[in-house]
Amino acid sequence: FGSSPLGFAHDFHCDFPAFGPHLPNSFLSHIHNIMGSKHGCHRDEDSASGSGSSSDEEVSAVASSGSDSSSSSSSSSSSSSSSSSSNKHNNKNNNKSKKSKSPLAATAAANEKKNKEKKREEVEAALDEDIGTDKICKDWFWGHADSEKEPPPRVPISTGLTTFPLRMAKEPDFHQQFAEYVLCPHWLDKQAQGTPQGQGCPFMGGKAFLRNADVKKKLAEVPQQHASGEIVRGNELGYLLLQDETFPLTGSLGLGNSVENHRIQRRWLEHLLSPNRLITRRQWVGEVQNFLLKMRHQRSFRFRKEVSLWWFQMLWKHIAGIDITIDEAKDFEKFQSAWLQGALKSKPNSFAEHHPHLMPKSAKKKIWPLHDIIAKQESYRDRIKAKLPQEVPEKDRDLVAQGVLEMFVFAGGLSIPLTVHAAMAALFRPDVLPSPVKVTEDFVEPFVYEVTRLWPAVQGFCYWKDGERQVLSLNAALRDPAVWGQDANRFTIKPMSLYREHHVGFANQAVSPPGQFDSKACPGFQLSLDVVQAFVLALAAWQPTNVPRAMVYWSPLKWPKPMGVHKKWWNDCTLEVQDWLDGDQTGEDLLRQKEPVELARLLRTIGMGDPEDNCIGSYMAKLGPSRDKTAGALVSQCDGATRLFYELSRKRFKELSSRAGSTDPNEKEPGPFGRHFDLVFGEHSETMRLPIGDTLKKKVRDNIAGILSKLVGGHIKDDLPEALYVRTPQQRCATIMLGQQAFFRTGGQTPPPHSNSRPDSYLPKPTCAFTDITTDAAQVAVARCGMGQMYLRTNDLDHLKQFGDIVCDISGLHQHEVRPSFERLGATAVFKRHFTGSWELTAIDWKHGNRVVRPGEDAWEHAKWAWRCSLITHMTAVHHLVQTHWLIANALASSPLMTLPPFHPVRRLLQVFTYNTPSINHNSALSLFPESGMLHRMSPFPYKELQKIFASGAENYVLRPFPEEYKAHNLPEDVKSRLPIYQDGLEVYEAFQDFMAAYVGVYYPDDASVEADEALQEYWKFELVPQYAKALPKLTRSSLILQLSRGAFDVTALHELVGYVVAYTTDPAGAGLQVRPGMNMADLQQFIAVNSLVAGTGTPMPMLVPSGQPGDEDWLHQLDMTGKGTEQYPPEKFEEVSKHYRNLMDRFRQISNSIRKRNAPGAGREIPCGVMDPLTLERSVSL
């Protein structure tokens, strides 16, 4: 209790009238600017922006107590300022004389100036190259004799100029030196430079001692000297002089009490704070966990603010034995702020007491009338007194209760939250505490000692001797290189023996013999250590949760920023609970192997860059995850087009409930569309047309889209800043986390039970997440159960036959040219089958490298990466976009609306499977088809090559029954029969086929009835999609069944297969659409762009097997045309359709059960493959 936990200032950003004459508030702003400048302390950005400048915790700065002893020699600072003025005067004269100098002299002067500037830049560059805590504390140096490190060449002139007005104050030396110390910490080193051991340097109206040895020696002498009257302690708090009138009981803070009163308070404080009376560190961990559990209900909280309130509750509970509510804690915090305010400068409080009507409303909340502060003191003191131990004599109870109250307000109530906050800052900043970090019981004690060494809550211990103020600089002693080494400014865990011998942060050496109660060391020393250590242990541990497989931890949304020599050391930051790590996405299992602290600081392993300087770039930099500033800053490094695409992928997301009405029939009469988006493939294929809505809203949206495309489009720049490349395993993990943070969403509605959409993410949920997609075993799973199934065939390649009998061949992409920054795509993976039925990846024919790569060779990982990238590129561009969306779904959606009447059975049926398809296809084409569009940017191809790929997908489309596709697939029967695409897909297709045959039979009993339907003949022309029309056979009843069966299957089951890429994209090492030389992972820009594309598939759509939720209603009634149209269909037809519909739903559920059994562990599949499961299928395409 003897040493102030506050340090030299509780709030230095305050009203400067406290220094004497009234000074403008702009003076304060100027000091803040310097504190944030290169030569000054770090600025508290929260306060500067206004968020902290009016908080209740702020109090005004130093008020002099009027002591006659506070004058001192400030010759150093005065001469510094005088020198500054003199230099300015000389510079003016020099400038005048330069005009008359010869050209040679002028050149020499210019060269000299250049050399000086170069030398200055070298000095600054050397400072900037410091790492870790050296960089954070680069403005702190050591000028005393024991140090080998020298202060910089000069103390910034701006510091002397800024503090010049303080010379007008009542105590000019005291105030100016105080301000100079805050603004420029190495100023005190300059004062002490060359001072012999045992002698102090001039500081704040007295003499300061900086050496660890001197401070320890003098602290050890303090108890006896104070008891004998050789020294006295004033009404002071650290470096601050307090006002006597705010302490009516004794006239002083307990630190300045008489020897007898101090002994009374000290005896009972030691009793109340005895470790034998208080709870253990392990029990404190429990208290912290309970606090964090409460904070989880609000997901995030301002750390220092909430910890302070919690700590007030703990102080009252465990020391005073009184439980207070959170509202009472807030009231106590306001009282603390008001008392500190009044103790530092009481005149405003007296003014508020005598002239309340003249006080502004905002000031009344912070500046209480003096009688209110005293009355509140008495109220709190009475509560504490009633709970004191019975052994405390009645005559001493007021004095002891006052000591406890002052401890709550001025001592532990300030110091412990401050230290907990500093510990949290150190824990989560890898530039302070390098990775890896594993917080154990053995680690936590020296860690907290190091925190209190570098960022002590108590910075100064002051007393008066022979009329002179002596200042023991605990802060300097705790950084003395003679004790702590030349890396004294760096956060490094040191031996406990060193801390026990030399740590002075708790005035540990100022102890008296047992029973004398003259000690000045902190009586709550062990309590402080226990509580801070408990916080570190709790924050560094996985948080308890009832969710299976979930791993929950806390992390700051934005890194705590250092504030230099300041009242708080670190600015406040927001902590948020992270509960997304449940292992349901590829790559998450890699993160689950890390410690919680490592995860919390992981994103910082990716470099941070500045957004582009242009107008649109500055705006786009603001787009990003608002909940996580680090993730948002990383996203902002991508180019404007990627950021726009990323933002649109989230803005287009719609909840399922917004799909209400998805089963309402479109009863608009048939006719041509007013607008189209033309997909021009050049000479390689006919133009395909996508219908576009012609409402005013859609036209305005399209115009805006066009403007944005022009702003962010144009030339594609493939060379990226180094910060965007992902090279190391640590950066890989950080990028995995970035994907989860960047696409996280809150407040999402619960999707249907079997939907892959998620309420907490824009990304869909994979049916199976890879633990590590880069392993050889994972490549087998990709080929047999994933996107490689479509590219498997029997190995008939002579140069590869020796390696295995099955290949997964996507080598055809090698024929397409790429832009200079990329490798050509194309690769063939070779698999060897064993008699046990297992497969082994034995070789990859890497086309760009023109070599066959074997496991263990230097290019093996790169060859696997190139193969996966080739697979996802071809499947996305050809099978997903061109064939499924722009060709099949477009044909099914457009032709019925152009040719069939509203109550036509085919039109009604196809509306089920084409809900919102024109809008989705138009959006996809706007983003992905044009030159300089997102697919062009994401892929490695020049646009003419991308056009060729699009055209080949359109020209090579074949419409045939899915069983025929199975027969035509060049694979051994025992291989293809076990591929999920066929084992599951054939069952789904046959269910569709049987339903379509029955449905068509209700309305078309024979070919003649089909031929007689003139509208159906027009429908079969598919005018907007000539490639689809060309693939069709002649219209007959059987061909109509084929077209409907295959169409429904393609936009549901096959769309899920070819669009299911989320299992490969949430890990940068999974798959991308381009390959850079020497890189085995996607860069950040590619990663964000690809996952923005994937996010389009995460929007919940109405399900094939309806759940009944709003927006996912049963689609049977859409087929009800009873009494409608020219045909006036009788109810018997709908009854028959209903029977077939119910059969279809029952059959889908049976198929789903079968698929789930095949996906069960041990059933033979490398990984579960649920893409063909009818219960998970949506009934129309999403992007």
Side-chain angles (χ1 to χ4, degrees), residues 195-244:
T195 302
Q197 188 168 351
Q199 297 183 20
C201 65
F203 183 49
M204 290 183 67
K207 186 185 294 182
F209 296 87
L210 277 63
R211 290 186 183 83
N212 186 275
D214 293 344
V215 171
K216 283 193 303 181
K217 179 177 181 296
K218 290 191 172 292
L219 281 174
E221 296 169 351
V222 162
Q224 187 275 327
Q225 290 179 346
H226 187 247
S228 66
E230 187 176 347
I231 65 171
V232 295
R233 303 200 69 194
N235 187 16
E236 300 170 335
L237 184 63
Y239 295 148
L240 302 178
L241 309 176
L242 304 183
Q243 304 301 306
D244 297 346

Short mmCIF file of all heavy atoms in Angstrom, two decimals, residues 195-244:
data_model
loop_
_atom_site.label_atom_id
_atom_site.label_comp_id
_atom_site.label_asym_id
_atom_site.label_seq_id
_atom_site.Cartn_x
_atom_site.Cartn_y
_atom_site.Cartn_z
N THR A 195 25.83 10.80 -14.62
CA THR A 195 25.68 10.96 -13.16
C THR A 195 26.38 9.81 -12.43
O THR A 195 26.13 8.64 -12.74
CB THR A 195 24.21 10.98 -12.77
OG1 THR A 195 23.56 12.04 -13.46
CG2 THR A 195 24.05 11.20 -11.27
N PRO A 196 27.24 10.09 -11.45
CA PRO A 196 27.92 9.01 -10.72
C PRO A 196 26.93 8.15 -9.94
O PRO A 196 25.83 8.59 -9.60
CB PRO A 196 28.86 9.75 -9.78
CG PRO A 196 28.99 11.12 -10.35
CD PRO A 196 27.68 11.41 -11.01
N GLN A 197 27.35 6.93 -9.65
CA GLN A 197 26.49 6.01 -8.89
C GLN A 197 26.21 6.59 -7.50
O GLN A 197 27.06 7.16 -6.86
CB GLN A 197 27.18 4.66 -8.78
CG GLN A 197 26.28 3.59 -8.18
CD GLN A 197 26.86 2.21 -8.35
OE1 GLN A 197 27.84 2.05 -9.06
NE2 GLN A 197 26.26 1.24 -7.71
N GLY A 198 24.96 6.43 -7.08
CA GLY A 198 24.56 6.89 -5.77
C GLY A 198 24.08 8.32 -5.75
O GLY A 198 23.58 8.78 -4.72
N GLN A 199 24.23 9.03 -6.86
CA GLN A 199 23.77 10.42 -6.92
C GLN A 199 22.64 10.53 -7.93
O GLN A 199 22.71 9.98 -9.01
CB GLN A 199 24.92 11.36 -7.32
CG GLN A 199 26.07 11.39 -6.32
CD GLN A 199 27.13 12.38 -6.71
OE1 GLN A 199 26.88 13.29 -7.50
NE2 GLN A 199 28.33 12.20 -6.16
N GLY A 200 21.61 11.24 -7.57
CA GLY A 200 20.47 11.39 -8.46
C GLY A 200 20.66 12.52 -9.45
O GLY A 200 21.65 13.25 -9.41
N CYS A 201 19.68 12.65 -10.32
CA CYS A 201 19.70 13.73 -11.31
C CYS A 201 18.50 14.63 -11.07
O CYS A 201 17.50 14.20 -10.49
CB CYS A 201 19.67 13.16 -12.72
SG CYS A 201 18.15 12.27 -13.12
N PRO A 202 18.56 15.88 -11.50
CA PRO A 202 17.42 16.79 -11.27
C PRO A 202 16.16 16.30 -11.97
O PRO A 202 16.20 15.95 -13.15
CB PRO A 202 17.91 18.11 -11.89
CG PRO A 202 19.39 17.98 -11.98
CD PRO A 202 19.68 16.54 -12.18
N PHE A 203 15.08 16.29 -11.21
CA PHE A 203 13.81 15.85 -11.81
C PHE A 203 12.64 16.27 -10.94
O PHE A 203 12.61 15.96 -9.75
CB PHE A 203 13.81 14.34 -11.99
CG PHE A 203 12.57 13.80 -12.67
CD1 PHE A 203 12.11 14.36 -13.85
CD2 PHE A 203 11.86 12.74 -12.13
CE1 PHE A 203 10.97 13.87 -14.49
CE2 PHE A 203 10.73 12.24 -12.74
CZ PHE A 203 10.29 12.80 -13.92
N MET A 204 11.70 16.97 -11.50
CA MET A 204 10.42 17.31 -10.89
C MET A 204 10.59 17.96 -9.52
O MET A 204 9.99 17.56 -8.54
CB MET A 204 9.53 16.08 -10.79
CG MET A 204 9.03 15.62 -12.14
SD MET A 204 7.91 14.23 -12.03
CE MET A 204 6.53 15.04 -11.21
N GLY A 205 11.42 18.95 -9.46
CA GLY A 205 11.58 19.71 -8.23
C GLY A 205 12.41 19.00 -7.19
O GLY A 205 12.40 19.40 -6.02
N GLY A 206 13.12 17.97 -7.59
CA GLY A 206 13.94 17.26 -6.62
C GLY A 206 15.03 16.50 -7.32
O GLY A 206 15.66 16.97 -8.25
N LYS A 207 15.25 15.28 -6.82
CA LYS A 207 16.34 14.47 -7.33
C LYS A 207 15.81 13.07 -7.61
O LYS A 207 15.13 12.47 -6.78
CB LYS A 207 17.46 14.40 -6.29
CG LYS A 207 18.72 13.69 -6.76
CD LYS A 207 19.73 13.57 -5.63
CE LYS A 207 20.24 14.96 -5.24
NZ LYS A 207 21.28 14.86 -4.16
N ALA A 208 16.10 12.57 -8.83
CA ALA A 208 15.63 11.25 -9.24
C ALA A 208 16.78 10.25 -9.24
O ALA A 208 17.90 10.58 -9.65
CB ALA A 208 15.00 11.32 -10.63
N PHE A 209 16.47 9.02 -8.78
CA PHE A 209 17.43 7.93 -8.81
C PHE A 209 16.93 6.87 -9.79
O PHE A 209 15.80 6.39 -9.67
CB PHE A 209 17.61 7.34 -7.40
CG PHE A 209 18.21 8.31 -6.43
CD1 PHE A 209 17.40 9.18 -5.71
CD2 PHE A 209 19.58 8.36 -6.23
CE1 PHE A 209 17.95 10.09 -4.82
CE2 PHE A 209 20.14 9.27 -5.34
CZ PHE A 209 19.32 10.15 -4.64
N LEU A 210 17.78 6.50 -10.74
CA LEU A 210 17.37 5.61 -11.82
C LEU A 210 17.97 4.23 -11.71
O LEU A 210 17.37 3.26 -12.18
CB LEU A 210 17.74 6.21 -13.18
CG LEU A 210 16.79 7.25 -13.79
CD1 LEU A 210 16.69 8.49 -12.93
CD2 LEU A 210 17.23 7.62 -15.20
N ARG A 211 19.17 4.10 -11.17
CA ARG A 211 19.85 2.80 -11.15
C ARG A 211 19.11 1.82 -10.26
O ARG A 211 18.60 2.17 -9.20
CB ARG A 211 21.28 2.95 -10.67
CG ARG A 211 22.18 3.66 -11.64
CD ARG A 211 23.62 3.63 -11.15
NE ARG A 211 24.48 4.36 -12.05
CZ ARG A 211 24.64 5.68 -12.03
NH1 ARG A 211 23.98 6.40 -11.13
NH2 ARG A 211 25.42 6.28 -12.90
N ASN A 212 19.11 0.59 -10.68
CA ASN A 212 18.47 -0.46 -9.90
C ASN A 212 19.11 -0.59 -8.53
O ASN A 212 18.42 -0.71 -7.50
CB ASN A 212 18.55 -1.79 -10.66
CG ASN A 212 17.78 -2.89 -9.98
OD1 ASN A 212 18.28 -3.56 -9.08
ND2 ASN A 212 16.54 -3.09 -10.42
N ALA A 213 20.45 -0.54 -8.49
CA ALA A 213 21.15 -0.68 -7.20
C ALA A 213 20.81 0.46 -6.26
O ALA A 213 20.58 0.25 -5.06
CB ALA A 213 22.66 -0.75 -7.45
N ASP A 214 20.76 1.69 -6.79
CA ASP A 214 20.44 2.85 -5.95
C ASP A 214 19.01 2.76 -5.43
O ASP A 214 18.74 3.03 -4.25
CB ASP A 214 20.61 4.13 -6.75
CG ASP A 214 22.06 4.41 -7.11
OD1 ASP A 214 22.94 3.78 -6.50
OD2 ASP A 214 22.30 5.23 -8.01
N VAL A 215 18.08 2.39 -6.32
CA VAL A 215 16.68 2.33 -5.92
C VAL A 215 16.47 1.25 -4.86
O VAL A 215 15.76 1.48 -3.86
CB VAL A 215 15.78 2.08 -7.15
CG1 VAL A 215 14.35 1.78 -6.72
CG2 VAL A 215 15.81 3.29 -8.08
N LYS A 216 17.07 0.09 -5.04
CA LYS A 216 16.92 -0.99 -4.05
C LYS A 216 17.50 -0.56 -2.70
O LYS A 216 16.87 -0.80 -1.64
CB LYS A 216 17.63 -2.26 -4.53
CG LYS A 216 16.89 -3.03 -5.60
CD LYS A 216 17.49 -4.41 -5.81
CE LYS A 216 18.95 -4.32 -6.16
NZ LYS A 216 19.54 -5.65 -6.38
N LYS A 217 18.64 0.06 -2.72
CA LYS A 217 19.29 0.49 -1.47
C LYS A 217 18.42 1.50 -0.74
O LYS A 217 18.21 1.39 0.48
CB LYS A 217 20.67 1.08 -1.80
CG LYS A 217 21.46 1.59 -0.58
CD LYS A 217 22.82 2.07 -1.03
CE LYS A 217 23.63 2.57 0.16
NZ LYS A 217 23.05 3.74 0.80
N LYS A 218 17.91 2.46 -1.45
CA LYS A 218 17.11 3.49 -0.80
C LYS A 218 15.76 2.96 -0.33
O LYS A 218 15.24 3.38 0.70
CB LYS A 218 16.94 4.68 -1.74
CG LYS A 218 18.24 5.45 -1.94
CD LYS A 218 18.04 6.75 -2.64
CE LYS A 218 19.34 7.55 -2.63
NZ LYS A 218 19.69 7.99 -1.25
N LEU A 219 15.15 2.04 -1.10
CA LEU A 219 13.90 1.43 -0.65
C LEU A 219 14.11 0.67 0.66
O LEU A 219 13.25 0.74 1.56
CB LEU A 219 13.36 0.47 -1.73
CG LEU A 219 12.63 1.09 -2.92
CD1 LEU A 219 12.30 0.02 -3.95
CD2 LEU A 219 11.34 1.79 -2.47
N ALA A 220 15.21 -0.03 0.76
CA ALA A 220 15.48 -0.80 1.99
C ALA A 220 15.65 0.12 3.19
O ALA A 220 15.37 -0.29 4.33
CB ALA A 220 16.74 -1.65 1.78
N GLU A 221 16.08 1.36 2.96
CA GLU A 221 16.29 2.30 4.07
C GLU A 221 15.02 3.02 4.47
O GLU A 221 14.95 3.60 5.56
CB GLU A 221 17.36 3.33 3.66
CG GLU A 221 18.74 2.73 3.42
CD GLU A 221 19.70 3.73 2.76
OE1 GLU A 221 19.20 4.80 2.35
OE2 GLU A 221 20.90 3.44 2.65
N VAL A 222 14.02 3.02 3.58
CA VAL A 222 12.83 3.83 3.80
C VAL A 222 12.09 3.50 5.10
O VAL A 222 11.73 4.42 5.86
CB VAL A 222 11.87 3.74 2.58
CG1 VAL A 222 10.46 4.19 2.95
CG2 VAL A 222 12.40 4.58 1.44
N PRO A 223 11.77 2.24 5.44
CA PRO A 223 10.97 1.98 6.65
C PRO A 223 11.60 2.55 7.92
O PRO A 223 10.93 3.20 8.73
CB PRO A 223 10.90 0.45 6.69
CG PRO A 223 11.06 0.02 5.28
CD PRO A 223 12.02 0.99 4.69
N GLN A 224 12.90 2.31 8.10
CA GLN A 224 13.56 2.80 9.32
C GLN A 224 13.64 4.32 9.31
O GLN A 224 13.41 4.98 10.34
CB GLN A 224 14.95 2.16 9.41
CG GLN A 224 15.69 2.46 10.72
CD GLN A 224 16.44 3.78 10.67
OE1 GLN A 224 16.93 4.18 9.60
NE2 GLN A 224 16.51 4.46 11.81
N GLN A 225 13.97 4.90 8.13
CA GLN A 225 14.10 6.36 8.06
C GLN A 225 12.76 7.04 8.28
O GLN A 225 12.69 8.10 8.92
CB GLN A 225 14.68 6.77 6.70
CG GLN A 225 16.15 6.40 6.51
CD GLN A 225 16.67 6.80 5.15
OE1 GLN A 225 15.90 7.13 4.25
NE2 GLN A 225 17.99 6.76 4.98
N HIS A 226 11.69 6.45 7.77
CA HIS A 226 10.37 7.04 7.97
C HIS A 226 9.96 6.95 9.43
O HIS A 226 9.39 7.89 10.00
CB HIS A 226 9.35 6.34 7.07
CG HIS A 226 7.99 6.98 7.10
ND1 HIS A 226 6.89 6.37 7.62
CD2 HIS A 226 7.57 8.21 6.66
CE1 HIS A 226 5.84 7.16 7.51
NE2 HIS A 226 6.22 8.29 6.93
N ALA A 227 10.24 5.81 10.04
CA ALA A 227 9.88 5.63 11.45
C ALA A 227 10.64 6.59 12.35
O ALA A 227 10.10 7.09 13.35
CB ALA A 227 10.13 4.18 11.87
N SER A 228 11.88 6.90 11.98
CA SER A 228 12.70 7.79 12.81
C SER A 228 12.46 9.26 12.51
O SER A 228 12.99 10.12 13.22
CB SER A 228 14.18 7.46 12.59
OG SER A 228 14.56 7.77 11.25
N GLY A 229 11.72 9.55 11.46
CA GLY A 229 11.46 10.94 11.09
C GLY A 229 12.51 11.53 10.19
O GLY A 229 12.46 12.72 9.86
N GLU A 230 13.48 10.72 9.77
CA GLU A 230 14.54 11.23 8.89
C GLU A 230 13.97 11.62 7.52
O GLU A 230 14.46 12.53 6.88
CB GLU A 230 15.62 10.15 8.73
CG GLU A 230 16.84 10.63 7.98
CD GLU A 230 17.92 9.55 7.91
OE1 GLU A 230 17.82 8.54 8.65
OE2 GLU A 230 18.85 9.71 7.10
N ILE A 231 12.93 10.90 7.09
CA ILE A 231 12.24 11.26 5.85
C ILE A 231 10.75 11.36 6.16
O ILE A 231 10.27 10.79 7.16
CB ILE A 231 12.46 10.23 4.73
CG1 ILE A 231 11.85 8.87 5.10
CG2 ILE A 231 13.93 10.09 4.38
CD1 ILE A 231 11.85 7.87 3.98
N VAL A 232 10.04 12.08 5.33
CA VAL A 232 8.58 12.17 5.47
C VAL A 232 7.97 11.90 4.09
O VAL A 232 8.60 12.11 3.05
CB VAL A 232 8.13 13.55 5.98
CG1 VAL A 232 8.61 13.79 7.38
CG2 VAL A 232 8.59 14.66 5.04
N ARG A 233 6.74 11.43 4.12
CA ARG A 233 6.01 11.21 2.88
C ARG A 233 4.83 12.17 2.86
O ARG A 233 4.08 12.29 3.83
CB ARG A 233 5.54 9.76 2.77
CG ARG A 233 6.67 8.75 2.86
CD ARG A 233 6.28 7.42 2.29
NE ARG A 233 6.14 7.50 0.84
CZ ARG A 233 5.55 6.56 0.10
NH1 ARG A 233 5.03 5.50 0.70
NH2 ARG A 233 5.47 6.69 -1.20
N GLY A 234 4.66 12.85 1.76
CA GLY A 234 3.61 13.83 1.63
C GLY A 234 2.32 13.20 1.13
O GLY A 234 2.21 11.99 0.93
N ASN A 235 1.34 14.07 0.93
CA ASN A 235 0.07 13.62 0.37
C ASN A 235 0.25 13.49 -1.14
O ASN A 235 -0.11 14.38 -1.91
CB ASN A 235 -1.02 14.64 0.70
CG ASN A 235 -2.40 14.15 0.29
OD1 ASN A 235 -2.59 12.96 0.03
ND2 ASN A 235 -3.36 15.06 0.23
N GLU A 236 0.83 12.38 -1.53
CA GLU A 236 1.25 12.17 -2.91
C GLU A 236 0.76 10.81 -3.42
O GLU A 236 0.59 9.87 -2.65
CB GLU A 236 2.78 12.22 -3.04
CG GLU A 236 3.37 13.54 -2.61
CD GLU A 236 4.89 13.49 -2.52
OE1 GLU A 236 5.44 12.39 -2.31
OE2 GLU A 236 5.51 14.56 -2.64
N LEU A 237 0.59 10.75 -4.70
CA LEU A 237 0.23 9.52 -5.37
C LEU A 237 1.21 9.33 -6.51
O LEU A 237 1.08 9.95 -7.57
CB LEU A 237 -1.20 9.59 -5.91
CG LEU A 237 -1.78 8.31 -6.55
CD1 LEU A 237 -1.86 7.18 -5.55
CD2 LEU A 237 -3.14 8.60 -7.14
N GLY A 238 2.23 8.49 -6.30
CA GLY A 238 3.29 8.39 -7.28
C GLY A 238 3.99 9.72 -7.40
O GLY A 238 4.45 10.29 -6.41
N TYR A 239 4.06 10.28 -8.59
CA TYR A 239 4.68 11.58 -8.81
C TYR A 239 3.73 12.73 -8.52
O TYR A 239 4.12 13.88 -8.57
CB TYR A 239 5.13 11.70 -10.28
CG TYR A 239 6.23 10.75 -10.69
CD1 TYR A 239 6.28 10.26 -11.99
CD2 TYR A 239 7.22 10.36 -9.80
CE1 TYR A 239 7.30 9.41 -12.39
CE2 TYR A 239 8.23 9.51 -10.19
CZ TYR A 239 8.27 9.03 -11.48
OH TYR A 239 9.28 8.19 -11.87
N LEU A 240 2.46 12.44 -8.27
CA LEU A 240 1.44 13.48 -8.22
C LEU A 240 1.27 14.04 -6.81
O LEU A 240 1.30 13.31 -5.82
CB LEU A 240 0.10 12.91 -8.70
CG LEU A 240 0.09 12.34 -10.12
CD1 LEU A 240 -1.27 11.77 -10.45
CD2 LEU A 240 0.47 13.42 -11.12
N LEU A 241 1.01 15.32 -6.75
CA LEU A 241 0.71 16.00 -5.50
C LEU A 241 -0.80 16.10 -5.37
O LEU A 241 -1.48 16.58 -6.27
CB LEU A 241 1.33 17.40 -5.51
CG LEU A 241 2.83 17.47 -5.89
CD1 LEU A 241 3.29 18.91 -5.94
CD2 LEU A 241 3.66 16.67 -4.89
N LEU A 242 -1.33 15.65 -4.21
CA LEU A 242 -2.77 15.59 -4.03
C LEU A 242 -3.26 16.73 -3.12
O LEU A 242 -2.48 17.37 -2.42
CB LEU A 242 -3.16 14.24 -3.43
CG LEU A 242 -2.72 13.00 -4.22
CD1 LEU A 242 -3.24 11.73 -3.56
CD2 LEU A 242 -3.18 13.06 -5.68
N GLN A 243 -4.58 16.94 -3.15
CA GLN A 243 -5.21 18.02 -2.39
C GLN A 243 -5.72 17.49 -1.05
O GLN A 243 -6.48 16.52 -0.99
CB GLN A 243 -6.37 18.60 -3.19
CG GLN A 243 -5.97 19.08 -4.59
CD GLN A 243 -4.90 20.16 -4.53
OE1 GLN A 243 -5.06 21.17 -3.86
NE2 GLN A 243 -3.80 19.92 -5.23
N ASP A 244 -5.31 18.15 0.03
CA ASP A 244 -5.63 17.67 1.38
C ASP A 244 -7.13 17.66 1.66
O ASP A 244 -7.63 16.79 2.39
CB ASP A 244 -4.93 18.54 2.43
CG ASP A 244 -3.41 18.46 2.31
OD1 ASP A 244 -2.93 17.54 1.61
OD2 ASP A 244 -2.72 19.31 2.91
#
